[in-house]
Amino acid sequence: MSNPERDTRQIIVDTAERFFRDIGYQKTTVADIAKSLRMSPANVYRFFDSKKSINEAVLERYKREQEEAIATIAAEDRSAAERLRDILATSYRLNAARFAGHARMQEMVCAAMEESWDAIIAHIERFDVVLRRVVADGIARGEFRPMEPAHATGCIRTAMIRFMHPLLITQCECIPGPNADEMIAFVLSALEARPQGR
């Protein structure tokens, strides 16, 4: 069943995303978005109290897409190592497709980091919950060596940051180093349970 208010919010977010991608976050105004939709700025402000809140809604869509994808992988009936590998590879693929080489989309992320840090932290925490569950499962199954899952999760995220952070994906491309698949293999090797006596 259609919900007119939700549909209007969605149309505003779709339009804002297009403007952010085409001309950039800083150059986009609420008036631009309203004019494109043939509505008044005041009408846009009925749904979003600021351009910052529109930006948060655009990024929330991206974050939800990523979080749903990794949660689906985490719930699969496969080894923890396979699931962890696919979670990290999927996160990299989604972020690279959305942000790598897209300076205007990176500008939107920069604005969010300055204006909406709490929303960014909340996303990182939800991401960590999924990783921690898979790591803990791998430890319980004997696939991964004994360790504190929360500590391991923080180490994994830090090791993968150049492949996860929307800004670093592009900025680090010219720096020599492993590619995403090589880094994921390194992370999995660090977690792997070692036979007794080694």
Side-chain angles (χ1 to χ4, degrees), residues 147-189:
M147 67 190 92
E148 171 52 50
H151 178 73
T153 297
C155 290
I156 294 166
R157 181 170 30 79
T158 302
M160 293 297 299
I161 195 162
R162 70 177 281 180
F163 303 105
M164 300 293 180
H165 194 294
L167 305 181
L168 294 179
I169 288 172
T170 297
Q171 291 173 356
C172 291
E173 278 180 343
C174 59
I175 299 174
N179 62 33
D181 288 338
E182 291 167 340
M183 196 66 210
I184 292 168
F186 181 84
V187 166
L188 291 173
S189 176

Side-chain angles (χ1 to χ4, degrees), residues 17 21 59-73 85-102 105-106 108-109 123 127 160 162-167 169-170 180 184:
E17 180 181 353
R21 185 177 295 278
L59 284 170
E60 180 59 34
R61 176 189 295 170
Y62 299 165
K63 291 181 288 188
R64 186 171 58 248
E65 177 187 57
Q66 182 188 36
E67 289 167 13
E68 288 174 356
I70 67 170
T72 298
I73 295 167
R85 182 189 62 234
D86 287 353
I87 285 169
L88 298 176
T90 298
S91 296
Y92 167 64
R93 179 179 50 78
L94 290 173
N95 280 323
R98 191 77 73 179
F99 300 108
H102 300 290
M105 297 305 282
Q106 293 171 19
M108 184 183 77
V109 173
H123 167 64
F127 184 83
M160 293 297 299
R162 70 177 281 180
F163 303 105
M164 300 293 180
H165 194 294
L167 305 181
I169 288 172
T170 297
I184 292 168

Side-chain angles (χ1 to χ4, degrees), residues 19 23 28 37 44 52 57 63 72 76 81 83 96 125 150 179-180:
F19 271 101
I23 68 171
T28 299
L37 294 172
V44 174
K52 166 181 171 277
K63 291 181 288 188
T72 298
E76 291 173 355
R83 286 177 285 150
E125 288 173 349
N179 62 33

Side-chain angles (χ1 to χ4, degrees), residues 25 30 44-45 47-56:
Y25 175 78
V30 172
V44 174
Y45 284 121
F47 297 92
F48 296 96
D49 62 11
S50 63
K51 187 170 82 166
K52 166 181 171 277
S53 65
I54 297 173
N55 192 26
E56 288 176 355

